[in-house]
Amino acid sequence: MPESMWITVGAILGAVAIAALVAWSLVRSREKKLCKARDDFHRQREHLEARFLRLAGESGKPRGLAWTACDFDDQVAYVRDKRTGRLSALVGVTVSFSAIEGGGMEDVEAVGNLRAATAVFHLENDRWITEGRTIFNLSPAEAVQYYGKSLERVPPGPSRQA
């Protein structure tokens, strides 16, 4: 084999090795960011839940009802928007309401029933936020399935907190 052929083969192998190293580095960096995001959510969770409850209660949804309590599940489902790559955390909640006087719901017997829902949190500029968005009548797993065309579940992974 001529010397120039060996140089070409060596250059190709070198380029492949560099590309593999860069790809591995990018995957590793993404895993570290995800691990940090999970840890940050865990540390900020109490504050995020309080903010969620305040914003959801102020949203006026459902119409004619006031939020009286919201119990958060322990489990968190992390998802990524397929189009934007935005990371979100979905937490199952059980919500109770009371009728707002004059809101048209005073005589509805089901007002006192507990409601299952999913609280939505987003990672924005390396900071967790909530807008009080609630997906009613769906657990986090059901929400991922329902919005499957736009969301993908982020595989569970180790957390530095664990």
Side-chain angles (χ1 to χ4, degrees), residues 95-122:
V95 185
S96 58
F97 300 101
S98 63
I100 296 172
E101 190 173 324
M105 299 292 285
E106 298 92 344
D107 296 329
V108 177
E109 195 173 315
V111 165
N113 293 352
L114 297 176
R115 307 271 169 70
T118 295
V120 180
F121 303 88
H122 299 291

Side-chain angles (χ1 to χ4, degrees), residues 66-129:
W67 290 58
T68 56
C70 183
D71 295 320
F72 291 83
D73 293 347
D74 291 335
Q75 298 296 318
V76 180
Y78 293 96
V79 296
R80 190 177 315 280
D81 184 295
K82 290 179 180 179
R83 187 176 54 80
T84 65
R86 186 182 197 192
L87 185 66
S88 298
L90 306 178
V91 179
V93 293
T94 303
V95 185
S96 58
F97 300 101
S98 63
I100 296 172
E101 190 173 324
M105 299 292 285
E106 298 92 344
D107 296 329
V108 177
E109 195 173 315
V111 165
N113 293 352
L114 297 176
R115 307 271 169 70
T118 295
V120 180
F121 303 88
H122 299 291
L123 186 65
E124 191 170 282
N125 298 324
D126 296 325
R127 187 172 157 257
W128 285 102
I129 64 165

Side-chain angles (χ1 to χ4, degrees), residues 1-11:
M1 199 185 275
E3 185 176 326
S4 62
M5 182 67 96
W6 284 111
I7 292 172
T8 302
V9 169

